[in-house]
Amino acid sequence: MRTAPRSRRYALSISALAAVCMLVVAGCTGQGTAASPSGGQGPVRGGNLNVAIPNDPGSLDFVAKPNLLAAHMGDMVFEKLFEVDKNYEARPMLVDTYERSEDGLTYTFTLRKDVTFHDGTPLTSKDVVASMKRWFTGHATGKLVAKQVDDVKAVDEHTVRFLLSKPRYGLIKELTTSSAAVYQAKSLEGVNANGLTTGQIVGTGPYRLKTWDVGQKIVFERYDKYASRSEEDWGGQAGAKHAYLDTVAYLVVSDEDALVNGLKAGRWDYAMPSNEKYDLLKADPSLTVATWSSGNVNFILPNRNPASIFSDVRARRGLNLILNKPELNAVGGGSKDITTLAGSFAMPANKGMLSTAGADRFQAHDPAEGKKLLEQAGLKPGQVLRIVTTKAYPQLSQWAVVIQQELQEVGVEAKIETYDFTAMLATTMTRPTEWDISMMMYNGSMTTPAQFALMQGFDEKGQAKIAAYDQAADDTEAKAAVDDLQAYIGDQLPGIAISQSNFYAAYTSRLHGYDNFYRIFWNAWITR
């Protein structure tokens, strides 16, 4: 295939790497892969895997109803043009080869021709175009990307072209996000704000939806006509996907004691309990307890609305000085294996977004000076700061209690208002005059600043720093932009980092080949 004039070609075909990358055992991603069955045998085909989940995701349509469970379970069914590998680098998935013009304004994607949806119809450029146009209008990240995309169109049945108004360094990485999944064009015709119906959950992934008993159980079954890529060593969500399991059943178990006891008793094979249960499960020799490379950034959210004192950066800086990060980290629960004092808004494995800039601000602790800054920002004697929290995630309510105590120790009154999780979010997002401080956990594995919700809608200087990343010409410029943005967050404090918590999973000895990357189970198998 000839290279187009004035363009740089990135050719990553299925066959080119097959001879080099084929391995005997699937799931070998260097991320703590479980051991093979006794006797050194390879993967075993068949059987059902039972996975405990804390609640029903409500939808697998991440554009309409984004949440962590929807992302993980949706990834079993839907795929994207690109996926992240074990190092959070973008790799082609539904794309075979692609070109980027020298001026960075045109991307041409050639789709793989062996891919079919679960109803047997082939993937075409029409499906990609419909999915992208919905992403551009229906999801926060897609809307940001759309500002620089003039058009996305089908060149032919297997070729899609993006036409940009200005270069966007992170575009390929942004196409790995769950919201950029590719759906059938016919399923998107007339879809409303509630998203895809159960009958429209039709993807190209290694598993397809079998049954959904809302609030109880969701079952996926192997898609026998799945066309896998051949790259066995990419790991993460990229490369080869082998559907060894007949079915994967996700069982809703909302009570955590029941979740742990059921895991120990073998009623389910896999679960993700809270941080407080880590040491208990780690001590059980019948279970494997392994951390993921991804996890949450834990932070305090000050209300920047003019109705709150924290609209003044001096108040945010004062609060940061009052907060005792080690104390907050300790009450959040969890072993030192999974919780780390760190001020970066990216997890260590996410090297493209990791930065230590602004670490001095994170480490600073001077309650007396913090009180002075609050007063300079306008805090009045007897003024009561309002902390909103939820018991749905115990560490959030625990942080609220510690924050209240630390404020009171310097003579600042604070009251705690506790809501269910949905009501807490509604309060922070839609009732800005009714709160001053909240707390949140944020996915630290986002691959570009545009996906960082904390910075969306922040001031013009913050938006300009995100734009500097988007306009980067190479990795060096992109890294400099990330450092600059992290330093700006440390200075302006739209959020005040507490710590980082790696996700972890606990599973029985029946499960093999699982590579500790999200709740996805292609390349995994069970022994009976």
Side-chain angles (χ1 to χ4, degrees):
M1 186 176 296
R2 297 182 62 185
T3 303
R6 294 184 54 79
S7 68
R8 185 166 66 247
R9 183 162 189 80
Y10 299 77
L12 289 164
S13 66
I14 297 174
S15 58
L17 296 176
V20 193
C21 297
M22 289 296 286
L23 300 175
V24 174
V25 179
C28 296
T29 68
Q31 299 224 156
T33 303
S36 297
S38 59
Q41 297 178 359
V44 176
R45 185 179 173 89
N48 175 69
L49 179 71
N50 289 315
V51 178
I53 55 175
N55 52 269
D56 191 291
S59 173
L60 300 185
D61 182 349
F62 197 82
V63 174
K65 297 181 179 179
N67 64 75
L68 192 64
L69 275 173
H72 292 173
M73 298 167 70
D75 284 337
M76 296 281 283
V77 175
F78 300 111
E79 295 181 305
K80 303 145 209 151
L81 295 176
F82 295 81
E83 298 278 14
V84 290
D85 67 12
K86 60 191 175 187
N87 298 315
Y88 296 93
E89 293 296 329
R91 302 278 197 167
M93 178 51 67
L94 296 177
V95 165
D96 184 16
T97 61
Y98 70 103
E99 297 176 355
R100 177 182 179 270
S101 63
E102 289 290 345
D103 61 8
L105 299 180
T106 304
Y107 288 77
T108 303
F109 302 108
T110 302
L111 304 178
R112 293 165 52 202
K113 295 181 174 62
D114 57 346
V115 178
T116 62
F117 285 97
H118 297 154
D119 61 1
T121 58
L123 169 73
T124 70
S125 54
K126 179 181 178 182
D127 302 300
V128 175
V129 170
S131 299
M132 294 299 100
K133 288 187 174 180
R134 182 182 184 230
W135 181 48
F136 292 153
T137 58
H139 190 272
T141 301
K143 289 176 182 178
L144 290 174
V145 174
K147 292 179 180 179
Q148 294 175 333
V149 178
D150 285 338
D151 195 14
V152 54
K153 60 183 181 180
V155 178
D156 58 38
E157 191 173 17
H158 290 97
T159 308
V160 178
R161 184 164 292 149
F162 281 58
L163 302 174
L164 279 63
S165 58
K166 61 177 64 175
R168 189 174 184 88
Y169 170 83
L171 177 64
I172 298 299
K173 291 184 177 181
E174 287 158 347
L175 291 172
T176 70
T177 65
S178 294
S179 56
V182 174
Y183 307 99
Q184 277 189 311
K186 64 182 180 182
S187 295
L188 298 180
E189 294 175 1
V191 66
N192 59 31
N194 292 321
L196 300 173
T197 65
T198 301
Q200 293 170 324
I201 303 298
V202 180
T204 62
Y207 287 88
R208 62 185 179 185
L209 181 64
K210 181 180 181 183
T211 59
W212 191 337
D213 185 2
V214 176
Q216 301 294 322
K217 181 167 66 171
I218 305 174
V219 180
F220 299 97
E221 63 182 356
R222 180 195 304 111
Y223 175 47
D224 286 323
K225 294 182 180 179
Y226 177 70
S228 175
R229 294 194 69 101
S230 63
E231 299 87 356
E232 301 280 355
D233 64 341
W234 284 358
Q237 295 180 242
K241 300 178 182 179
H242 302 291
Y244 297 121
L245 299 160
D246 292 335
T247 56
V248 180
Y250 294 81
L251 312 171
V252 177
V253 185
S254 56
D255 181 85
E256 187 159 66
D257 288 333
L259 181 145
V260 169
N261 292 335
L263 185 65
K264 287 174 169 286
R267 286 196 290 275
W268 30 86
D269 303 293
Y270 179 102
M272 287 179 59
S274 68
N275 289 356
E276 288 82 358
K277 302 296 184 183
Y278 179 86
D279 289 329
L280 171 69
L281 294 168
K282 188 76 173 177
D284 189 330
S286 69
L287 299 174
T288 295
V289 177
T291 58
W292 297 358
S293 60
S294 60
N296 282 328
V297 172
N298 307 313
F299 64 95
I300 306 303
L301 184 66
N303 184 0
R304 304 192 308 268
N305 185 275
S308 171
I309 190 173
F310 293 108
S311 62
D312 190 317
V313 69
R314 292 173 295 180
R316 301 197 295 272
R317 290 171 179 166
L319 178 62
N320 180 65
L321 288 173
I322 291 169
L323 296 177
N324 185 325
K325 312 291 177 54
E327 183 177 17
L328 285 165
N329 184 45
V331 301
S335 163
K336 59 182 176 57
D337 294 347
I338 55 176
T339 305
T340 306
L341 276 171
S344 173
F345 279 85
M347 301 299 290
N350 187 11
K351 298 187 185 306
M353 287 290 291
L354 182 66
S355 174
T356 58
D360 54 341
R361 178 85 70 181
F362 171 77
Q363 295 164 358
H365 180 56
D366 188 340
E369 181 63 22
K371 170 75 176 300
K372 290 180 183 178
L373 287 171
L374 282 172
E375 291 172 342
Q376 292 172 15
L379 183 71
K380 303 292 191 297
Q383 182 174 343
V384 179
L385 300 181
R386 301 153 297 177
I387 304 172
V388 297
T389 190
T390 179
K391 291 184 177 179
Y393 295 92
Q395 61 267 48
L396 299 188
S397 60
Q398 291 160 353
W399 290 331
V401 171
V402 173
I403 293 168
Q404 182 188 47
Q405 293 171 346
E406 292 177 350
L407 286 168
Q408 290 174 343
E409 287 171 3
V410 296
V412 177
E413 290 300 312
K415 68 175 181 178
I416 297 173
E417 298 176 1
T418 303
Y419 302 90
D420 64 41
F421 185 65
T422 302
M424 185 191 82
L425 289 180
T427 299
T428 58
M429 291 191 296
T430 64
R431 296 195 288 277
T433 64
E434 298 180 14
W435 66 284
D436 295 297
I437 300 169
S438 188
M439 54 287 303
M440 192 57 64
M441 299 171 291
Y442 189 82
N443 185 347
S445 300
M446 298 300 184
T447 52
T448 65
Q451 301 166 53
F452 192 14
L454 187 64
M455 289 300 295
Q456 291 174 13
F458 197 43
D459 62 20
E460 290 184 4
K461 286 186 178 179
Q463 298 309 306
K465 294 181 185 301
I466 293 176
Y469 177 91
D470 295 337
Q471 295 160 17
D474 52 36
D475 292 348
T476 300
E477 288 187 10
K479 182 61 169 65
V482 167
D483 287 339
D484 192 33
L485 179 59
Q486 177 73 47
Y488 190 72
I489 292 171
D491 182 62
Q492 295 297 306
L493 298 170
I496 301 173
I498 301 172
S499 60
Q500 295 180 345
S501 297
N502 282 87
F503 295 132
Y504 80 94
Y507 46 93
T508 69
S509 59
R510 291 202 328 140
L511 178 60
H512 302 270
Y514 172 66
D515 69 353
N516 301 318
F517 200 95
Y518 300 157
R519 291 186 186 91
I520 48 179
F521 301 100
W522 56 76
N523 299 339
W525 68 93
I526 55 173
T527 53
R528 305 173 192 176

